């Protein structure tokens, strides 16, 4: 019997296998940021242990960094301490760091691919659940906790029990204006926030093959929102073309050797997945969330659901609470929901294509007076690229705020926050209670929907705008 | 890591599903660089509501949390486990845990006991009827008991062994240093490095 992509990558990283014990897996790349690492470095210091492979480790500052007043010290003393702690730790342990102000600084899951460090067939970990993003390259990439961060720093390995595998086949083609974000929101609504538990999801099918690397990253990014350990997409010519020439991509003869190896990273025809889910891309339309977990989503054309219509008791209770927290009434058309803030950014949708897609919608239009729109590029490089293309001017001319790179309002650890009761349309990945600020209410959307919402002041798709622009798939 | 064999204490019924780690500990508390002192952060937003179950006087001193399905979803923050530990919890019982949360708990000596949802419902009834009911979680026998209820719970063998022994994962792995060395010697040379390596 053949093996799946996930199993192939797993098998090629087993350092040690023993009966009754987890496999010891080698880690090719360890990404580090300021929030989940201080206690891990402390642990090393206490035990007198070095970082085993600083050359397979890289750090950046992202979660706490302000996105205005760049170049100033961080005003919040607690955030500043955390960032300074990372700097000290990286220096002491010899780990390369991209600090604020560095040309390669940015959200950890944006800079790995951008630098060409994320490559097919690798194992990638980070003390951050959205490490699943890197699976878009055919890497086995997953989030870990701080104790595991310490474990990887000390040993470059992790003891792990094998994951189960799930195929998510997205067949057919997306309609114009429907994006990778809509696919993944629909997948999570279908399988539920616990549906992927214990599994690695492999996304396949025509609609996935047609996506750019950026769209693939958006999909893999949110695998964790379906409870999965990781998401993966088999590498292909799109992947190789994206990697070629990046700073850390192999060169010359090494490139040829690497590509030959990468081409073998596909699920065998006769491989069996533990579970299979099929979705028809042609039936998808722009998707938004109405509740307080990412599985509580519906097409934009739907109405706020009535909790009474949920068959399962837990789902009904959860929906009741969600509507109460979100301040929504069952039966309201989703399009009638007015928002105060639009956030375009995060490791889900803060890359250059996302900014281009939103700028296409905003060009020649104005953000509604009642709306504040923040545009936060995922990395310094994305920001510079956008500025080179003049996208920043489109945003500012429309009345949006053009910011520096970081996680920003995705989790509100820096000053970018929702006030209690404020409502946002956000291109990030989590609509949990208080995620974007205590009492804040979040609707997850694609960059295109975010931009159209900013213009109209209520949840909307580009097709709702007068003199609608040419639609592009992203 | 402290060892865990069996534990008896009172329990808190948390009648919610999808308790994500942003609820267990909101992001503002993640700025600390220490590993302890997170007790004030546990369920910080919900605790502002005087009616929240943790604020009920009869729940003071409870050490076992009984929650709805999909507990610990979302962010990988191990701070969620530290906050539960610091508050005094030794065990969380649920019918389904998020994977990363479960892994983190194991590293920090917090037992996550996975039971069927009807066991969760019965536990809720029992400890709501009498908050003083002692609940016993026995890792040796893999059972949870309260009143006349005795039910098995799920925990993987290796994790159970490590908890029972209180073993440090890193020490265990470092015993395999030879295997790691030999694996490294076979890695393809084109795999990326973050630093120039002098050799
Ligand atoms: S952008 Fe949001 S989800 Fe992504 S790493 Fe930052 S905080 Fe986490």
């Amino acid at each position: 019997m053949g093996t799946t992509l996930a199993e192939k990558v797993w098998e090629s990283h087993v350092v040690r296998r023993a009966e009754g014990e987890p496999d010891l897996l080698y880690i090719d790349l360890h990404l580090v940021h300021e929030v989940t690492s201080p206690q891990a470095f402390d642990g090393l210091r206490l035990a007198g242990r070095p970082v085993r492979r600083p050359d397979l480790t890289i750090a950046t500052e992202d979660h706490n960094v302000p996105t205005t007043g760049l170049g100033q010290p961080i005003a919040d003393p607690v955030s500043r301490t955390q960032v300074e702690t990372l700097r000290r730790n990286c220096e002491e342990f010899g780990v390369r760091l991209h600090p604020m102000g560095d040309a390669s600084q940015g959200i950890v899951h944006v800079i790995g691919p951008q630098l060409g460090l994320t490559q097919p067939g690798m194992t990638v970990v980070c003390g951050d659940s959205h490490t699943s993003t890197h699976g878009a390259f055919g890497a086995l990439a997953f989030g870990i906790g701080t104790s595991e961060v310490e474990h990887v720093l000390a040993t470059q390995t992790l003891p792990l029990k094998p994951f189960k595998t799930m195929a998510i086949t997205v067949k057919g083609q997306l309609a114009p204006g429907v994006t990778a974000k809509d696919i993944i929101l629909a997948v999570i609504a279908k399988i539920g926030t616990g549906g992927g538990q214990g599994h690695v999801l492999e996304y396949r099918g025509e609609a996935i093959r047609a996506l750019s690397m950026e769209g693939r990253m958006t999909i893999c990014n949110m695998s964790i929102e379906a409870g999965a350990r990781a998401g993966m997409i088999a590498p292909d010519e799109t992947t190789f073309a994206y990697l070629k020439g990046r700073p850390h991509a192999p060169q010359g003869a090494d490139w040829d050797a690497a590509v030959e190896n990468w081409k073998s990273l596909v699920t065998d025809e006769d491989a069996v997945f533990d579970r299979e889910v099929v979705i028809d891309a042609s039936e998808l339309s722009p998707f938004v969330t109405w509740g307080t977990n990412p599985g509580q989503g519906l097409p934009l054309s739907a109405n706020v659901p009535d909790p009474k219509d949920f068959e399962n008791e837990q789902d009904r209770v959860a929906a009741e609470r969600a509507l109460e927290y979100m301040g929504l009434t069952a039966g309201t058309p989703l399009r009638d929901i007015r928002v105060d803030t639009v956030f375009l950014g995060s490791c889900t949708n803060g890359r250059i294509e996302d900014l281009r897609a939103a700028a296409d919608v905003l060009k020649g239009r104005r953000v509604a007076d009642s709306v504040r729109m923040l545009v936060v590029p995922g990395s310094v490089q994305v920001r510079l690229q956008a500025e080179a293309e003049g996208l920043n001017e489109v945003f500012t001319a429309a009345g949006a705020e053009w910011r520096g790179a970081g996680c920003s309002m995705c989790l509100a650890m820096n000053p970018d926050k929702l006030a209690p009761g404020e409502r946002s349309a956000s291109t990030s990945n989590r609509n949990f209670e208080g995620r974007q600020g205590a009492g804040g209410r979040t609707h997850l959307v694609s960059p295109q929907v975010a931009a159209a919402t900013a213009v109209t002041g209520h949840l909307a798709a580009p097709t709702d705008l007068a003199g609608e622009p040419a639609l592009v798939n992203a | 890591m402290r060892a865990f064999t069996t534990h008896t204490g009172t329990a808190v019924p948390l009648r919610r599903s999808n308790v994500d780690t942003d609820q267990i500990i909101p992001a503002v508390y993640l700025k600390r660089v220490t590993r302890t002192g997170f007790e004030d952060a546990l369920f910080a937003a919900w605790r502002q509501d005087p009616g929240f179950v943790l604020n009920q006087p009869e729940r003071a001193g409870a050490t076992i949390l009984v929650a709805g399905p999909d507990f610990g979803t979302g962010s990988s923050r191990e701070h969620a486990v530290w906050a539960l530990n610091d508050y005094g919890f030794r065990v969380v019982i649920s019918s389904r845990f998020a994977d990363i949360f479960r892994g983190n708990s194991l590293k920090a000596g917090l037992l996550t006991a996975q039971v069927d949802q009807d066991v969760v419902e019965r536990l809720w009834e029992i400890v709501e009827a009498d908050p003083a009911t002692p609940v016993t979680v026995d890792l040796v026998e893999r059972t949870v008991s309260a009143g006349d209820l005795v039910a098995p719970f799920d925990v993987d063998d290796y994790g159970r062994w490590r908890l029972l022994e209180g073993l440090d994962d890193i020490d265990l792995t470092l015993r395999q240093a030879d295997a790691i060395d030999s694996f490294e010697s076979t890695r393809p040379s084109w795999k990326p490095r973050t630093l120039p390596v002098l050799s």
Side-chain angles (χ1 to χ4, degrees), chain B residues 143-162:
Chain B
T143 55
V144 45
S145 45
D148 57 3
L149 169 78
V150 182
F153 68 80
D154 220 43
V155 57
D156 74 273
D157 292 336
Y158 185 74
R160 172 173 169 271
W161 170 72
R162 279 201 37 237

Side-chain angles (χ1 to χ4, degrees), chain A residues 63 107 109 128 130 346-347 407 410-411 429 435:
Chain A
H63 283 64
I107 304 173
H109 311 306
D128 191 283
H130 291 101
S346 87
C347 59
C407 294
C410 174
L411 92 167
N429 43 44
R435 169 78 177 183

Side-chain angles (χ1 to χ4, degrees), chain A residues 16 26 28 39 49 52 55 57 76 82 96 145-147 151 193 197-198 248 321 413 433, chain B residues 16 18 23 30-31 34-35 46 74 78 97 99 104 117 171 173 176 181 184 187 191 193-194:
Chain A
R16 176 174 178 272
Y26 198 80
D28 288 321
Q39 297 86 354
R49 290 172 179 142
R52 181 180 172 98
D55 62 323
T57 312
D76 175 353
Q82 199 164 56
R96 183 167 144 213
T146 297
S147 295
H151 195 283
T193 53
Q197 192 211 29
H248 288 270
R321 282 187 190 281
M413 271 186 89
E433 291 180 18
Chain B
R16 295 197 89 159
N18 269 292
Q23 307 317 316
L30 309 187
K31 297 184 182 187
T34 57
R35 211 182 186 110
W46 291 349
E78 195 164 315
F97 292 96
D99 293 320
N104 287 344
Q117 181 59 26
D171 269 338
T173 298
Q176 310 303 331
D181 288 343
E184 276 178 338
R187 290 179 78 236
K191 290 246 182 181
R193 290 177 171 185
T194 59

Side-chain angles (χ1 to χ4, degrees), chain B residues 118-155:
Chain B
D118 52 333
V119 174
V120 169
E121 308 273 349
R122 293 222 22 223
L123 282 168
W124 281 343
E125 284 162 20
I126 292 170
V127 303
E128 277 170 359
D130 179 5
T133 314
V135 177
T136 297
V137 182
D138 185 336
L139 184 58
V140 182
E141 299 296 331
R142 301 182 209 226
T143 55
V144 45
S145 45
D148 57 3
L149 169 78
V150 182
F153 68 80
D154 220 43
V155 57

